[in-house]
Amino acid sequence: MTRGGKERQVKKPLLCMLLLLTLLLSGCAAQSQEQEPEAAATSTATDPNVRTTGTGFYFDTVVTFTLYGADETLLEDLQSACRRYENLLSRTIADSDVGRINAAGGETVTVDPETAEILTRALEISEMTGEAFCVTIAPLTSQWDFSGGSQRMPTDAERLAALPLVDDSKLTVEGNQVALPAGMQIDLGGIAKGYIADELAKMCENRSHGALLNFGGNVYVTGAKPDGSLYRVGVRDPQDTASSLAVVSMGPGTVVTSGVYERCFEKDGVFYHHILDPETGLPAQTDLTSATIVGQSSMDADALATALIVMGKEKALAFCEEKGLDAMLIDGEDQVYCTEGFAEKYSLELAR
Ligand code: ADP
Ligand code: MG
């Protein structure tokens, strides 16, 4: 397997790879799950051979749904759920929960139970990762523009002034009450799509035979394909984002990739990307170009994949082994590193 003349190897025992998506799906099968008698009785799924697809633009991301045997209103309901979550969680919508928290100036804000649930988990993951994933990173992220084309970046003085405002230990969530000191703000960009993928996947369970929900770097598959084959999810090649470097074959679950090539720009010969190191306010100095996690919780995988990029290869691999996470990392040379068992578990194929 060569690429650009270089030998690509999977390193042992952890080799693997990944990059984000292009997911092609195919096949399915053997993985069909036992259905609870009750669930079967209430299912509204229709002919599994009928495939329905829909696309939308939510959360600054192209979202694609592929449904097998969906009931009549599932697609519409998934799309309206996306609109509702956008209105709840977007940082740029003033009356969203996040907009209200960020404008509260130190006052306590009452939020939707779902927002409180995401924030509670965000704080747990922040603690688990030593704040490599940091939900109060907004004062820093708002100083950069990685997707709008302006290539805005902070001066050193602006960046240093924002650093003391980034501290997850100051965010409190009690029931549906959220409090943050004046001047501090939150950014759910590294976790919200995962939560939304989990919730939409639940909606598909008794209303379709199988579904593939693609939110850019977050993919969730449920049920099975009509021919019983496994779903095949491509992980993008960081060096050539139009193609896949690896393909993961899997039953129901989620594949989440964070990549430095996702939202980035180059200015004066320097590469800047959207995953910031909360300690410096600069794009994380990392030897990874992408980090992928496969599991059942897309919310956890989303936040953790972002944290793995900040940690860098060595720390990320040790962290995943310690926490029992199935992960695949790609470095700047397109070398793939997997946690133990990942390649076998997901029939990982290198694309070239
Ligand atoms: P994407 O949103 O492109 O799928 P990620 O899940 O990796 O990618 O999330 C990156 C987003 O998370 C950034 O655009 C920003 O909003 C936010 N973010 C950046 N750095 C961090 C960090 N260290 N911790 C938490 N969130 C972050
Ligand atoms: Mg993430």
Side-chain angles (χ1 to χ4, degrees), residues 19-32:
L19 242 268
L20 225 341
L21 42 123
T22 306
L23 6 124
L24 331 165
L25 24 141
S26 78
C28 62
Q31 222 71 4
S32 62

Side-chain angles (χ1 to χ4, degrees), residues 133 189-192 218 256-258 275 299 301-307:
F133 175 82
I191 190 169
N218 288 64
V256 180
T257 301
S258 272
I275 299 173
M299 169 163 67
D302 193 356
L304 290 167
T306 303

Side-chain angles (χ1 to χ4, degrees), residues 91-111:
R91 195 154 62 98
T92 53
I93 296 178
D95 65 353
S96 72
D97 277 358
V98 174
R100 291 184 308 112
I101 291 168
N102 288 348
E107 298 294 314
T108 297
V109 175
T110 303
V111 299

